[in-house]
């Protein structure tokens, strides 16, 4: 495994990228409502990235056709923005990478569309809680799978499934670097965590079973096999001598 440790200067570049993502997520919490098409969300993302001099990490990545991955309801990740209009009761996750000054930041949020069920609201919150639990284990001297285990325990304690087939990852000059970070499994395994590691921790939770499948129609969107809804929460974090730093919030 090639895990690149980042200098403080590099971490500051990634943090500046992350601040753009935080700004976008703020705007989206106002913007997302019933009647908005997912392609309009993508356009807003593109506009803010461009205004801040950043390039969308995902546009053209392995051929992905948009700036943001926008995944509605049973779509877990990699949804392609389209003319589909959001309706009251949907949940929608928006996953964005920002590239500037040679480094990427990556983050995702899941938003309610108008009024949603209590169960759906719990699912959204549980993904954030699972991120928080996992990130608390991102400490110098720990082991990578301590993060995985904490994510899984928190997700399952809330009564939700946790997706196996999609992973968190290191991030830096490439949007996906080593190490891959599973969202499940026993603690105490994998590489030792060290100061200077920058990681994208990203739990994906499901209302029902955690199995997913990629769409044969668009070749990108990954949905739950049972058709139940899913939530996604992600931040880019840095392990530093001063402790864990969240670079995208
Ligand atoms: Mg990611």
């Amino acid at each position: 495994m090639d895990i690149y440790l980042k200098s403080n200067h590099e971490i500051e570049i990634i943090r500046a990228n992350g601040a753009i993502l935080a700004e976008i997520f703020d705007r989206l919490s106002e913007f997302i409502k019933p009647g908005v098409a997912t392609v309009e969300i993508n356009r807003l993302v593109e506009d803010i990235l461009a205004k801040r001099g950043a390039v969308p990490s995902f546009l053209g990545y392995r051929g992905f056709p948009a700036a943001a991955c926008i995944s509605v309801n049973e779509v877990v990740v990699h949804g392609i923005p389209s003319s589909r209009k959001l309706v009251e009761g949907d949940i929608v996750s928006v996953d964005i990478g920002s590239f500037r000054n040679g480094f990427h930041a990556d983050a995702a949020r899941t938003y309610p569309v108008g009024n949603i069920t209590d169960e759906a609201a719990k699912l959204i919150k549980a993904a954030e809680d699972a991120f928080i639990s996992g990130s608390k284990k991102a400490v110098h001297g720990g082991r990578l799978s301590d993060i995985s285990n904490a994510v899984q325990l928190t997700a399952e304690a809330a009564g939700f499934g946790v997706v196996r087939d999609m992973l968190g990852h290191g991030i830096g000059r490439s949007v996906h670097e080593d190490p891959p970070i599973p969202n499940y499994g026993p603690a105490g395994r994998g590489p030792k965590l060290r100061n200077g590691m920058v990681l994208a921790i990203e739990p994906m939770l499901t209302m029902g079973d955690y199995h997913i499948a990629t769409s044969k129609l668009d070749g990108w969107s990954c949905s739950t096999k049972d058709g139940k809804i899913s939530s996604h929460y992600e931040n880019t974090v840095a392990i530093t001598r001063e402790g864990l730093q969240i670079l995208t919030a």
Side-chain angles (χ1 to χ4, degrees):
M1 225 178 277
D2 283 321
I3 301 178
Y4 301 111
L5 300 181
K6 277 78 183 180
S7 68
N8 287 341
H9 175 66
E10 290 169 333
I11 288 170
E12 289 318 309
I13 293 174
I14 298 171
R15 190 198 308 278
N17 259 310
I20 304 170
L21 297 180
E23 177 190 353
I24 293 172
F25 290 130
D26 257 12
R27 285 281 292 282
L28 288 180
S29 61
E30 301 288 312
F31 186 77
I32 290 173
K33 46 173 74 86
V36 169
T38 58
V39 73
E40 296 176 75
I41 298 172
N42 186 68
R43 208 171 297 137
L44 182 64
V45 169
E46 274 183 331
D47 286 351
I48 300 176
L49 286 171
K51 214 180 281 172
R52 301 289 173 250
V55 170
S57 305
F58 303 153
L59 180 62
Y61 184 83
R62 294 182 184 160
F64 189 77
C69 298
I70 304 181
S71 307
V72 183
N73 293 337
E74 77 283 358
V75 183
V76 180
V77 288
H78 305 166
I80 299 175
S82 73
S83 56
R84 174 182 181 161
K85 284 190 161 78
L86 297 170
V87 300
E88 182 101 24
D90 283 345
I91 66 171
V92 57
S93 69
V94 182
D95 189 354
I96 315 166
S98 167
F99 178 75
R100 194 174 67 174
N101 292 333
F103 288 85
H104 296 269
D106 183 6
R109 299 286 184 271
T110 300
Y111 296 91
V113 180
N115 288 310
I116 62 172
T117 65
D118 289 348
E119 270 301 285
K122 266 181 65 181
L123 181 70
I124 291 174
K125 178 161 188 304
E128 182 172 354
D129 289 344
F131 163 82
I132 292 168
S133 299
S135 64
K136 282 183 181 156
K137 300 291 182 182
V139 291
H140 181 87
R143 298 286 289 268
L144 185 74
S145 82
D146 299 348
I147 300 172
S148 313
N149 182 251
V151 166
Q152 180 181 17
L153 290 179
T154 300
E156 291 180 351
F160 299 119
V162 60
V163 170
R164 268 61 165 168
D165 294 348
M166 294 287 162
L167 309 174
H169 50 94
I171 181 167
R173 291 191 182 276
S174 300
V175 68
H176 293 126
E177 293 184 356
D178 281 337
I181 310 172
N183 288 309
Y184 68 98
R189 313 250 173 106
K192 266 208 166 154
L193 299 173
R194 296 179 59 192
N195 290 333
M197 282 187 183
V198 177
L199 307 171
I201 300 174
E202 50 176 322
M204 289 148 256
L205 272 54
T206 58
M207 188 72 86
D209 184 81
Y210 60 75
H211 287 95
I212 62 172
T214 304
S215 165
K216 291 197 175 82
L217 289 175
D218 66 28
W220 277 104
S221 54
C222 297
S223 299
T224 57
K225 282 191 175 172
D226 65 11
K228 294 190 176 167
I229 62 171
S230 166
S231 68
H232 184 197
Y233 187 93
E234 173 181 26
N235 282 312
T236 296
V237 307
I239 303 172
T240 75
R241 223 165 264 150
E242 292 76 42
L244 186 83
Q245 305 203 21
I246 297 178
L247 305 178
T248 49

